[in-house]
């Protein structure tokens, strides 16, 4: 095998993507639905390859510039993801969820710092334990940033590489329970508390009228429709479209064909015997008043009406806070169909009582003029570009690095966000502005996912490779056990406190609170499992706000864990 490791050492690009490929493959392996994920897989694969190579006298190592570059791209991508919803999550109507989303990361940080000091663990363990126990891989980078910035005093004989290795090692030891533990806790907390979350979800569904987002898929049902009728009713013939609408407001005339000509649907157009009239409306009204016009016909020319799909960003103060049922009598009713609502990047259940919030994204399909009208009613029509605005990307990265240079005195030294924190803030700023203006800064979801997924897995893989050779020298059974115990406590205790406060003091619906508890750990897996456990999508109602806030806090807390514990 020595020749193989010598080959990898001489071919750093092959080494990098060989490690990344193995990490992704290992991350996909699951046992009863649970797996490591590619990030934890990258730590293990990188460290194992490095240790294995060292037994043949080969030291595998990759350039730190590449490692940091990919991590910085990842941090900027995280900022872009949470940006449109982060500031909005701090609104007064979400103050309870916001409080719980702040409480959980703070408790996790506190328990990690106290545990590391109590167990007298080596430098580096605090950042790794926080990242693993809270399943926030991004905290690995911010913890390492504390070492790079020199705010953590390394003991005599300990190198920066060794401290970084302890971050990766601690992350790997605590990540598995961090993932499985929070899923089990959120899933079964109501049962342990003697609460019937399933009944609470049904009550919430009855009050709000939500439907299950997990059941979304292809369906033959459409709330609205478009049908064509031959005008034979003499009482309707001779009426203008305006008068027809005044007498029958539940219908929308979208096109009239006379002979071989499509005449459109001008309000002053007078209907005549033999016209083919294309009507739009809700499904229930299209099957009512069957003789109002005449028999239904399959007329492709009359029904050849342009349809449109769009994502509408809710910005109008006139619609914010209103339930969906308040738009049943709007002019667009029956002409557009709302297929999905996203809040903070997460689909939320829809019902008649679902209230709109600023920066919600509405996915609509329908008649082209009606979609345009819906855009004017609710806010801004966003037609995502498939191209990435590289100028905005470059400007945002520069802004992030400049923010990272800002420092202020604390803990006896100068402390700042650093490059990673600065890029996170920059991403939030850029995404927030672009979501409001919509004319610059296009970063499609696929491009942002590349920044996040590839950036993080490459960074962690290089951390594992560079640190692996020194891990065997540092790791003992006693240290590993202490790391696991501190991570176990930091993962397990905060959700119980969040649940107790949310249920007893804030009086939050238990089904919604399950989603808040999952979001406060910035992990979608527990919310998904909670929804399956109670057969309802209600947990997703509490998830987005907590998810947006805790994700930012836990990322930054990796830095402060290192600072406070060492």
């Amino acid at each position: 095998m020595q020749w193989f490791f010598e080959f990898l050492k001489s071919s750093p690009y092959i080494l990098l993507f060989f490690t990344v490929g193995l990490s992704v493959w290992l991350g996909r392996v699951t046992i009863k639905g649970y797996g490591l994920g590619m990030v934890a897989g990258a730590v293990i694969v990188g460290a194992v390859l490095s240790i294995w190579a060292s037994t043949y006298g080969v030291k595998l190592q990759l350039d730190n510039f590449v490692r940091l570059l990919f991590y910085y791209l990842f941090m900027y991508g995280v900022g872009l993801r949470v940006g449109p919803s982060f500031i909005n999550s701090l609104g007064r109507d979400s103050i309870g969820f916001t409080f719980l989303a702040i409480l959980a990361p703070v408790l996790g940080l506190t328990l990690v710092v106290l545990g590391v000091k109590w167990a007298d663990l080596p430098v580096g363990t605090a950042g790794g334990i926080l990242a693993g126990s809270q399943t926030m891989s991004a905290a690995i980078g911010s913890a390492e940033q504390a070492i790079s910035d020199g705010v953590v005093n390394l003991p005599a004989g300990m190198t920066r590489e060794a401290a970084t290795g302890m971050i990766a090692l601690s992350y790997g030891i605590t990540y598995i329970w961090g993932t499985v533990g929070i899923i089990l806790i959120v899933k079964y907390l109501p049962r342990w508390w003697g609460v019937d979350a399933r009944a609470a979800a049904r009550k919430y569904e009855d009050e709000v009228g939500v439907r299950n987002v997990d059941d979304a898929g292809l369906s033959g049902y459409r709330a609205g429709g478009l049908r064509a009728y031959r005008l034979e009713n003499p009482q309707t013939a001779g009426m203008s479209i305006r008068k027809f609408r005044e007498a029958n407001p539940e219908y929308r005339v979208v096109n009239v064909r006379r002979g071989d000509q499509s005449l459109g649907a001008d309000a002053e157009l007078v209907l005549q015997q033999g016209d083919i009239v294309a009507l739009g409306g809700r499904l229930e009204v299209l099957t009512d008043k069957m003789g109002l016009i005449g028999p239904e016909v399959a007329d492709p020319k009359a029904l050849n009406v342009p349809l449109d799909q769009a994502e509408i960003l809710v910005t109008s103060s006139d619609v914010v806070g209103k339930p969906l049922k308040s738009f049943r009598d709007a002019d667009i009713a029956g002409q557009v169909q709302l297929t999905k609502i996203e809040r903070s990047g997460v689909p939320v259940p829809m019902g008649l009582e679902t209230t709109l919030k600023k920066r919600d994204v509405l996915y609509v399909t329908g008649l082209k003029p009606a979609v345009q009208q819906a855009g004017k009613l609710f806010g801004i029509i966003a037609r995502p570009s498939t191209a990435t605005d590289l100028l905005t990307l470059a400007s945002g990265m520069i802004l992030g690095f400049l923010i990272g240079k800002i420092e202020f005195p604390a803990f006896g030294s100068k402390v700042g966000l650093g490059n990673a924190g600065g890029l996170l803030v920059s991403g939030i700023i850029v995404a927030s502005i672009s979501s409001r203006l919509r004319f610059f800064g296009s970063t499609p979801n696929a491009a942002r996912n590349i920044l996040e997924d590839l950036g993080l897995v490459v960074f962690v893989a290089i951390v594992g490779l560079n640190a692996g050779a020194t891990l065997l020298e540092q790791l003992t059974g006693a240290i590993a056990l202490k790391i696991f115990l501190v991570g176990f406590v930091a993962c397990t205790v905060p959700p119980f406190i969040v649940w107790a406060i949310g249920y007893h003091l804030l009086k939050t619906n238990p089904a919604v609170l399950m989603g808040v508890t999952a979001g406060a750990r910035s992990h979608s897996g527990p919310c998904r499992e909670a929804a399956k456990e109670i057969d309802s999508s209600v947990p997703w109602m509490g998830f987005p706000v907590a998810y947006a806030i805790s994700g930012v806090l836990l990322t930054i807390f990796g830095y402060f864990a290192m600072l406070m514990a060492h």
Side-chain angles (χ1 to χ4, degrees):
M1 291 295 292
Q2 183 170 355
W3 69 267
F4 178 68
F5 290 119
E6 292 283 3
F7 170 74
L8 290 180
K9 181 180 179 180
S10 64
S11 306
Y13 300 113
I14 293 178
L15 170 61
L16 173 61
F17 287 102
F18 178 71
T19 306
V20 169
L22 282 180
S23 302
V24 174
W25 174 79
L26 179 61
R28 291 177 177 174
V29 176
T30 60
I31 300 176
K32 294 185 176 181
Y34 299 106
L36 285 173
M38 66 179 180
V39 177
V43 171
I44 294 173
V45 170
V48 168
L49 283 176
S50 185
I51 293 171
W52 195 359
S54 69
T55 62
Y56 291 94
V58 179
K59 185 177 182 180
L60 297 180
Q61 198 160 17
L62 289 174
D63 185 65
N64 280 328
F65 177 83
V66 175
R67 174 176 60 85
L68 291 175
L69 173 62
F70 276 91
Y71 179 66
Y72 293 154
L73 289 172
F74 162 74
M75 290 299 293
Y76 184 70
V78 171
L80 292 178
R81 171 167 53 83
V82 304
S85 59
F86 180 72
I87 301 299
N88 210 48
S89 297
L90 304 178
R92 289 177 298 175
D93 57 339
S94 302
I95 190 169
F97 295 170
T98 301
F99 170 74
L100 295 177
I102 295 173
L103 176 64
V106 169
L107 287 172
L109 173 65
T110 302
L111 290 170
V112 168
V113 170
L114 294 177
V116 169
K117 288 185 174 183
W118 167 78
D120 194 24
L121 291 172
V123 172
T125 53
I129 293 173
L130 181 83
S133 67
Q134 309 300 303
T135 55
M136 178 47 66
S137 304
I140 297 175
S142 60
E144 187 184 337
Q145 186 77 49
I147 295 176
S148 302
D149 290 349
V151 299
V152 177
N153 295 321
L154 300 181
M158 188 177 207
T159 64
R160 288 188 175 185
E161 289 74 18
T164 299
M166 287 306 300
I167 295 174
L169 173 68
S170 304
Y171 171 81
I173 292 175
T174 57
Y175 178 83
I176 296 178
W177 175 250
T179 300
V180 176
I182 189 61
I183 290 176
L184 295 176
I185 290 170
V186 171
K187 186 175 181 178
Y188 297 118
L189 251 176
R191 190 180 302 180
W192 296 336
W193 226 261
V195 174
D196 189 345
R198 188 180 293 263
R202 297 295 173 267
K203 179 181 178 182
Y204 189 92
E205 289 171 351
D206 292 340
E207 293 173 351
V208 181
V210 301
R211 70 168 187 253
N212 198 331
V213 295
D214 293 330
D215 293 338
L218 292 176
S219 170
Y221 174 77
R222 294 293 181 270
L226 186 65
R227 296 187 178 188
Y229 303 88
R230 179 182 294 109
L231 180 53
E232 295 182 357
N233 185 351
Q235 294 181 349
T236 302
M239 296 176 65
S240 68
I241 291 179
R242 183 189 303 279
K243 290 185 177 180
F244 177 83
R245 283 291 316 280
E246 290 174 353
N248 305 278
E250 67 271 30
Y251 294 112
R252 306 291 185 270
V253 177
V254 297
N255 192 24
V256 176
R257 184 174 72 82
R258 185 172 297 161
D260 292 330
Q261 292 185 324
S262 290
L263 305 179
D266 184 86
E268 303 306 324
L269 179 66
V270 177
L271 301 175
Q272 298 180 7
Q273 286 275 359
D275 284 350
I276 305 298
V277 181
L279 286 185
R282 295 193 300 274
L283 184 63
E284 59 268 26
V285 302
L286 287 173
T287 55
D288 195 14
K289 301 182 181 179
M290 296 300 291
L292 179 64
I293 297 178
E296 183 176 3
V297 294
D299 193 298
K301 290 185 178 180
L303 295 173
N304 186 22
V305 179
L307 299 178
D308 195 11
Q309 290 180 322
E311 300 171 16
I312 301 177
L313 184 72
V314 177
T315 59
S316 174
S317 56
D318 294 334
V319 302
V320 172
K322 290 186 177 180
L324 291 178
K325 69 179 183 181
S326 62
F327 304 104
R328 286 185 296 187
D329 297 325
D331 289 341
I332 60 172
Q335 299 184 67
V336 295
Q337 180 180 3
L338 179 61
T339 57
K340 184 171 68 170
I341 299 178
E342 278 193 1
R343 185 170 296 159
S344 303
V346 178
V348 296
M350 295 186 299
L352 293 178
E353 298 293 338
T354 301
T355 57
L356 296 178
K357 294 187 177 182
K358 210 163 190 178
R359 307 300 158 199
D360 280 353
V361 178
L362 312 180
Y363 290 75
V364 300
T365 303
L367 301 175
K368 193 168 186 177
V371 169
Q372 295 291 333
Q373 189 177 354
K376 295 178 181 178
L377 174 64
F378 293 104
I380 304 172
I381 291 183
R383 301 190 183 279
S385 170
T386 57
T388 302
D389 188 341
L390 294 180
L391 177 60
T392 302
L393 174 63
S395 301
M397 295 290 288
I398 293 172
L399 175 63
F401 289 125
L402 291 175
I403 294 174
K405 290 182 177 296
I406 300 173
E407 295 181 333
F408 53 91
F411 302 102
S413 63
K414 290 185 177 181
V415 177
L417 290 176
N419 289 335
L423 287 165
L424 178 66
V425 173
S426 173
I428 291 174
I429 293 172
V430 170
S432 298
I433 295 175
S434 63
S435 71
R436 285 160 170 78
L437 302 183
R438 310 304 296 184
F439 59 77
F440 88 105
S442 173
T443 306
N445 287 341
R448 192 201 67 218
N449 288 340
I450 284 290
L451 291 179
E452 290 192 59
D453 295 344
L454 184 61
L456 185 58
V457 75
V458 167
F459 165 75
V460 174
I462 295 177
V463 168
L465 282 169
N466 292 353
T470 63
L471 290 181
L472 290 180
E473 302 172 4
Q474 303 179 73
L475 180 62
T476 65
I479 290 178
L481 179 60
K482 290 179 180 179
I483 289 172
F484 175 79
L485 289 175
V486 174
F488 179 88
V489 173
C491 167
T492 307
V493 173
F496 282 89
I497 297 177
V498 167
W499 175 271
I501 293 175
Y503 181 70
H504 293 291
L505 297 182
L506 302 181
K507 306 299 182 182
T508 305
N509 181 289
V512 177
L513 186 56
M514 294 173 82
V516 176
T517 307
R521 271 286 304 275
S522 199
H523 195 333
S524 62
C527 191
R528 184 171 56 250
E529 291 298 317
K532 291 180 181 178
E533 172 70 11
I534 64 175
D535 192 26
S536 171
S537 285
V538 170
W540 290 106
M541 300 298 292
F543 182 78
V545 170
Y547 174 76
I549 296 172
S550 64
V552 174
L553 291 180
L554 286 171
T555 299
I556 297 173
F557 280 0
Y559 188 95
F560 288 98
M562 296 290 291
L563 191 64
M564 297 166 67
H566 307 295

